[in-house]
Amino acid sequence: MSTVSIYRTEFLTFSTHGSMRRRKLQRLSLSPAVKMDSKSFERVKKEESSIQLQTSPIPQLENPRPSNLRFDRLQPSDQELDQDHRLEFGRFVAREAVLDEEFWTAAWLRAETHWEDRPGERYVDNFKRQFAEQEFNAIKRRYSGQHGQTYTCVVTVRKEERNVKRTVLKSVVGTLDFSIRHLLHGESFPGEREKHMFCSISRTNLNKYVYVSNLCVAKSARRQSIASNMLYFVIESARSKGVEPVYVHVHRNNEPALELYEKIGFEMVEMANSQLLKQEMFLLCFKT
């Protein structure tokens, strides 16, 4: 009788935050008893412990999406929304988002845009769902008016068509955020004095400005002037509120975006280093 040593296969498990936990190799001993005669060959194994096969788990979200959302909800008609401030162009309408389902779809578009250059990455769908959930909750928090800012989530939806019913998920094709903020004392543009610890906010109408972020358009709806018309919507909204100017940060290497903003009339104010994104960005300004 002999003893054979084998090793359990090592597996890696991943958490939803990307951390790894490694399971150590466990040594098992097998004691095979061999009995032979002229007619047959019999082998009997006596194992000291059992071996269980395991598979690498796919990260799962505890709450993949808010449970009160209705993903079969139809896009409301213009009469139901009764919004005066809207911008119609071609087959689309740019307006403020009003439904939670619109907020969720806007968050999902941002998740797809964030991950679209990494389609082959493992578990990318799970990471997109997590990103969308976090962004949805962030949108809801921004509407609470934190830090004295007035926040608006803009969506572009497909126009109503006779005898055509669409869900909210299939109707929203573009989104961006804009907020009305105040410059700090002594600032001539946002971020000029951000390194100073004790800078108070100057809450006067003369120091108000509009800041644009999170602009993205669904792949299937690009090249139809959706991004530019959402920006025109923001500019008109700023004018109607008596606020100027409009600012936006753009990645230095994002040439299509830079061309878009330049075409609309934005001008570069300064080059800034994003500590969060670890890359250089341009601060652009549009004077209303």
Side-chain angles (χ1 to χ4, degrees):
M1 185 178 298
S2 60
T3 300
V4 180
S5 297
I6 67 171
Y7 292 87
R8 186 192 301 271
T9 306
E10 178 180 296
F11 294 91
L12 300 177
T13 59
F14 296 82
S15 71
T16 55
H17 300 290
S19 61
M20 285 193 303
R21 183 179 60 204
R22 189 181 292 271
R23 293 181 180 166
K24 296 181 179 180
L25 291 172
Q26 298 180 3
R27 181 167 178 167
L28 304 175
S29 298
L30 302 182
S31 300
V34 181
K35 182 181 179 181
M36 299 181 62
D37 57 27
S38 59
K39 294 183 179 181
S40 63
F41 177 82
E42 224 177 89
R43 181 169 180 163
V44 181
K45 290 184 180 179
K46 295 181 181 179
E47 298 188 5
E48 294 177 359
S49 62
S50 61
I51 302 175
Q52 297 179 349
L53 296 178
Q54 301 183 26
T55 57
S56 298
I58 296 175
Q60 298 293 327
L61 300 176
E62 293 181 3
N63 297 303
R65 55 179 179 262
S67 58
N68 60 336
L69 294 177
R70 291 169 42 203
F71 292 101
D72 59 347
R73 183 170 186 169
L74 295 178
Q75 185 66 36
S77 65
D78 296 339
Q79 291 75 19
E80 291 175 308
L81 292 174
D82 192 25
Q83 287 181 313
D84 293 331
H85 192 49
R86 47 194 279 131
L87 177 62
E88 297 187 12
F89 58 98
R91 298 183 294 111
F92 306 100
V93 178
R95 58 170 176 77
E96 181 178 357
V98 293
L99 304 174
D100 277 356
E101 288 79 7
E102 291 176 336
F103 295 148
W104 173 263
T105 309
W108 181 256
L109 283 179
R110 296 169 191 182
E112 289 200 317
T113 301
H114 181 78
W115 290 93
E116 72 177 34
D117 294 330
R118 294 171 281 182
E121 189 162 333
R122 199 175 188 187
Y123 308 135
V124 65
D125 288 338
N126 292 77
F127 294 137
K128 284 196 291 188
R129 283 196 294 271
Q130 184 181 33
F131 186 103
E133 184 185 10
Q134 293 172 345
E135 183 61 21
F136 172 82
N137 292 328
I139 291 173
K140 299 289 284 186
R141 286 196 303 272
R142 291 172 197 139
Y143 263 101
S144 67
Q146 292 180 343
H147 309 298
Q149 299 175 4
T150 302
Y151 168 83
T152 303
C153 176
V154 176
V155 290
T156 293
V157 300
R158 299 182 189 277
K159 275 186 180 179
E160 287 185 81
E161 295 181 35
R162 184 176 297 178
N163 300 324
V164 176
K165 297 293 185 181
R166 296 189 184 92
T167 63
V168 174
L169 293 179
K170 293 185 178 296
S171 182
V172 177
V173 295
T175 179
L176 64 73
D177 295 338
F178 76 90
S179 55
I180 298 176
R181 305 181 180 184
H182 295 82
L183 294 171
L184 298 177
H185 278 295
E187 280 189 333
S188 57
F189 57 84
E192 186 178 15
R193 298 187 61 189
E194 64 180 4
K195 295 182 180 180
H196 295 263
M197 293 182 61
F198 302 105
C199 291
S200 59
I201 297 174
S202 179
R203 298 187 182 278
T204 66
N205 288 334
L206 294 176
N207 288 309
K208 283 184 178 181
Y209 68 94
V210 171
Y211 185 78
V212 176
S213 59
N214 296 319
L215 191 158
C216 58
V217 178
K219 269 189 174 182
S220 60
R222 291 175 184 173
R223 303 289 182 181
Q224 299 184 67
S225 300
I226 292 175
S228 58
N229 278 283
M230 284 195 294
L231 290 169
Y232 289 136
F233 177 84
V234 172
I235 292 169
E236 289 303 317
S237 297
R239 284 174 177 162
S240 67
K241 298 176 186 296
V243 180
E244 63 172 342
V246 179
Y247 289 98
V248 63
H249 277 103
V250 183
H251 296 168
R252 179 182 183 181
N253 296 326
N254 192 345
E255 294 184 2
L258 290 171
E259 291 177 3
L260 168 66
Y261 289 112
E262 183 181 357
K263 179 180 178 181
I264 291 175
F266 281 79
E267 298 178 352
M268 189 178 76
V269 177
E270 70 157 1
M271 184 186 299
N273 290 318
S274 171
Q275 298 298 323
L276 180 63
L277 299 175
K278 304 298 182 183
Q279 54 187 305
E280 291 182 331
M281 306 183 75
F282 289 134
L283 177 65
L284 307 182
C285 174
F286 180 92
K287 296 286 187 178
T288 58

